[in-house]
Amino acid sequence: MQSKWNYEPPTPEEKKAAEELGEKIGMSPIIAMLLIRRGITTESAAKRFFRPQLADLINPFLMKDMDIAVDRLNDAMGRKENILVYGDYDVDGCTAVALVYKFLQQFYSKIDYYIPDRYEEGYGISMKGLEYAQEKGVKLIIILDCGIKAIKEIAYAKSLGIDFIICDHHVPDDEMPEAVAVLNPKREDDTYPFKHLSGCGVGFKFMQAFAKNNDIPFSRLIPLLDFCAVSIAADIVPVTEENRILAFHGLKQLNQNPSVGLKAIIDICGLNGRDISMSDIVFKIGPRINASGRMENGKESVDLLIERDFPTALSKARHINEYNEQRKDIDKQMTEEANQIVAKLESQKHQSSIVLYDENWKKGVIGIVASRLTEIYFRPTVVLTRENNLATGSARSVAGFDVYSAIKHCRDLLLNFGGHTYAAGLTLRWDDVKEFRRRFQQYVEEHIQPEQREVTIKVDAQIDFRDIASKRLYNDLRRLAPYGPGNEKPRFCTVGVYDFGTSKVVGRDQEHIKLELVDSKSNHVMNGIAFGQSASARYIKSKRSFDIIYTLEENIYKHGSVQLQIEAIREAEDYDPNNK
């Protein structure tokens, strides 16, 4: 899809500020400008950004109900009650359950964990889960990454004598469940300073508070930070403020001394010996943890994450990897089917959104298909499948559009829904699907902005190849990591580049371009890769100049060298730096 390039050249004031900041921190004005545009304008702020400190984590007792939650957990342990740690079947839920269970198990033995079966029980608290808790004599359930809307289920549990502590980060409704404590920074009555924790992050804050209350050294929590980093990356929450601290130190733990289960996944992914990044979690580690919940039961992922014996963990990781391979095959088939439906549906072509449904699609993969379609067509997308008389599905959105609000607008048709701005889940009667599609599409049409209908690539800086000829810029850029929403990997633009003569189309289906480019201004040569952009190959080989947008990446096949990962290619004469 053709994209718009959005680049705002620095003002004279910004240039001056970048030069001054660069001198103070010993970095180039390019890096200093990236900091300034992230709101980091002083030497002290830059140092805090580059070296996030665990000491700067927010006091967990600032979260509403935290004192109540800790008191109830202390009471449960003092009375020797059976405790159940219950969580969602996705990466965030599984890492949250693993973190809380592993931490509490060090101090208390009467504790168990539970992940609902996506196919038999569905999302959140299930009757089967409550029956399991009752059979085991559970008196307290700590629920993670879900539960904020489980009003009926928690009321029923209360009638059975089972208390709940909710640790969630999804948007609450006006009515709250009758839990003993509801830990959720998105509560309207919660003044906790940071609102964007992952579900695992909320669980971590609960354990931080429990440790503080019981004089347990904070150092006992540090080995669990790798779970926080995995959840932050996989759940695509902002990597800013408190999440940046957790992600920074979680990645450090993941690279230096990961938990046994994550070490096994790292081995299976082929990431051994590499500096693992947030991107590696998103594309390699996360999908494997997700795979068991998508294909069978997410409990297998928690079994792996809490495993202490490495050979056993490696065996479990291989099994989960098989699920991931199956998932990829089904994902590809369903995406192709969905694309064919979109191509055939005249009614979808002029819509600002896509709503597709098919009774044969696999429930565990429709979220991935919704993401794929959103990327391909750049429209808010809902994908549904049938389960008896119900339709269950997932929604994904484009930058800037709140798909959760669009779904909430149709709430009278829904039996259940929940989620975030960019991702949500929903359940409704199969007979109501067509009406839901009509109303959802009408809402999107009325509320989506023109700029949200286009792929816009934000350029952070326009540079020449001489700026990246040495590895200094790349090494300095690494200090801006971890990257993610709110701290995106910097994208650069270089204008007037040419093929050096060796660029060629590569890939199994000849879909990528391997490039060797020369910059006409500096005559430096750089290697690059442009994934999925083989349509530009003929123009590139014509020896005419063109402009590129790219990120800087390490070439893993040529250790120590830097290459351009090219996101967009445009004929030079078409370029307007202020086209936005």
Side-chain angles (χ1 to χ4, degrees), residues 96-164:
V97 168
L99 185 151
V100 171
Y101 178 81
K102 280 189 75 172
F103 186 69
L104 292 180
Q105 196 187 36
Q106 299 173 77
F107 314 103
Y108 192 67
S109 60
K110 301 186 74 173
I111 186 168
D112 193 6
Y113 60 93
Y114 189 91
I115 302 289
D117 186 291
R118 184 192 295 260
Y119 296 97
E120 289 185 12
E121 300 167 71
Y123 172 79
I125 301 168
S126 68
M127 291 306 296
K128 185 177 177 181
L130 292 178
E131 288 168 6
Y132 177 87
Q134 191 178 22
E135 286 170 12
K136 297 292 183 180
V138 168
K139 293 298 180 185
L140 175 64
I141 295 178
I142 300 170
I143 186 158
L144 297 138
D145 194 35
C146 54
I148 197 66
K149 294 189 176 184
I151 293 167
K152 293 179 182 177
E153 293 83 357
I154 288 178
Y156 175 67
K158 192 175 180 181
S159 73
L160 300 176
I162 301 171
D163 284 340
F164 267 85

Side-chain angles (χ1 to χ4, degrees), residues 559-577:
H559 186 67
S561 67
V562 177
Q563 70 174 2
L564 316 178
Q565 185 160 313
I566 297 167
E567 296 188 11
I569 299 169
R570 179 175 283 178
E571 297 178 25
E573 56 266 32
D574 289 346
Y575 178 66
D576 174 2

Side-chain angles (χ1 to χ4, degrees), residues 264-295:
I265 298 174
I266 289 166
D267 273 27
I268 292 298
C269 292
L271 292 172
N272 262 334
R274 281 183 51 190
D275 188 17
I276 297 169
S277 67
M278 298 291 270
S279 181
D280 291 322
I281 296 171
V282 171
F283 293 108
K284 295 192 174 183
I285 296 172
R288 285 165 172 83
I289 297 172
N290 250 335
S292 65
R294 294 190 186 283
M295 305 305 295

Side-chain angles (χ1 to χ4, degrees), residues 230-508:
V230 170
S231 77
I232 289 166
D235 220 52
I236 319 181
V237 292
V239 188
T240 58
E241 300 179 53
E242 189 162 42
N243 277 348
R244 179 171 173 82
I245 300 172
L246 293 172
F248 181 91
H249 290 278
L251 278 175
K252 186 177 178 182
Q253 187 71 26
L254 193 64
N255 279 288
Q256 295 178 359
N257 189 24
S259 64
V260 170
L262 286 173
K263 175 70 171 68
I265 298 174
I266 289 166
D267 273 27
I268 292 298
C269 292
L271 292 172
N272 262 334
R274 281 183 51 190
D275 188 17
I276 297 169
S277 67
M278 298 291 270
S279 181
D280 291 322
I281 296 171
V282 171
F283 293 108
K284 295 192 174 183
I285 296 172
R288 285 165 172 83
I289 297 172
N290 250 335
S292 65
R294 294 190 186 283
M295 305 305 295
E296 292 293 335
N297 191 307
K299 186 175 183 295
E300 292 184 50
S301 285
V302 179
D303 293 343
L304 168 59
L305 293 174
I306 66 168
E307 182 57 57
R308 295 178 179 178
D309 177 68
F310 185 70
T312 304
L314 204 55
S315 175
K316 290 177 178 178
R318 289 193 184 104
H319 187 55
I320 281 175
N321 194 56
E322 289 172 10
Y323 286 147
N324 194 50
E325 293 303 313
Q326 295 170 26
R327 187 273 306 166
K328 285 194 282 190
D329 290 340
I330 294 170
D331 163 19
K332 184 178 179 182
Q333 178 189 338
M334 285 172 56
T335 301
E336 288 173 357
E337 290 174 3
N339 274 323
Q340 290 169 9
I341 294 171
V342 173
K344 289 176 183 175
L345 283 176
E346 286 293 326
S347 62
Q348 297 276 358
K349 287 184 179 177
H350 304 294
Q351 295 282 355
S352 297
S353 62
I354 295 172
V355 180
L356 297 182
Y357 47 93
D358 188 297
E359 8 189 306
N360 298 314
W361 285 342
K362 192 169 179 68
K363 185 178 176 183
V365 186
I366 51 180
I368 298 175
V369 175
S371 295
R372 298 267 190 275
L373 293 173
T374 303
E375 291 168 8
I376 293 166
Y377 298 103
F378 209 70
R379 286 182 271 176
T381 300
V382 179
V383 180
L384 300 159
T385 188
R386 185 169 184 168
E387 190 174 22
N388 299 318
N389 294 319
L390 300 180
T392 61
S394 292
R396 298 292 184 269
S397 195
V398 297
F401 183 79
D402 187 349
V403 75
Y404 177 83
S405 293
I407 288 172
K408 187 176 181 181
H409 175 72
C410 310
R411 65 183 304 159
D412 59 300
L413 296 173
L414 306 177
L415 301 175
N416 194 11
F417 72 100
H420 315 281
T421 301
Y422 296 124
L426 63 157
T427 302
L428 66 158
R429 285 177 288 272
W430 185 258
D431 292 342
D432 290 334
V433 167
K434 289 184 179 178
E435 175 62 13
F436 168 80
R437 179 169 71 177
R438 185 190 69 79
R439 284 166 53 181
F440 177 84
Q441 290 182 332
Q442 181 181 359
Y443 180 93
V444 175
E445 186 67 36
E446 291 173 356
H447 290 83
I448 199 164
Q449 299 300 310
E451 61 271 18
Q452 293 167 352
R453 299 170 185 255
E454 302 176 287
V455 180
T456 301
I457 303 178
K458 182 178 179 292
V459 177
D460 290 277
Q462 183 175 319
I463 62 176
D464 300 329
F465 286 174
R466 64 172 156 243
D467 295 316
I468 49 178
S470 73
K471 282 193 71 177
R472 184 187 172 192
L473 178 62
Y474 173 75
N475 289 332
D476 285 346
L477 284 171
R478 293 180 64 182
R479 297 186 63 190
L480 270 63
Y483 295 118
N487 185 41
E488 301 284 351
K489 180 171 286 189
R491 292 184 178 93
F492 301 105
C493 170
T494 299
V495 301
V497 303
Y498 295 85
D499 175 27
F500 193 59
T502 55
S503 297
K504 59 183 179 180
V505 175
V506 296
R508 187 175 61 182

Side-chain angles (χ1 to χ4, degrees), residues 201-224:
V202 178
F204 178 83
K205 298 305 294 186
F206 183 22
M207 293 302 95
Q208 184 189 0
F210 172 79
K212 191 172 185 178
N213 181 261
N214 288 279
D215 296 322
I216 299 168
F218 182 83
S219 58
R220 299 286 291 270
L221 284 161
I222 291 175
L224 301 169

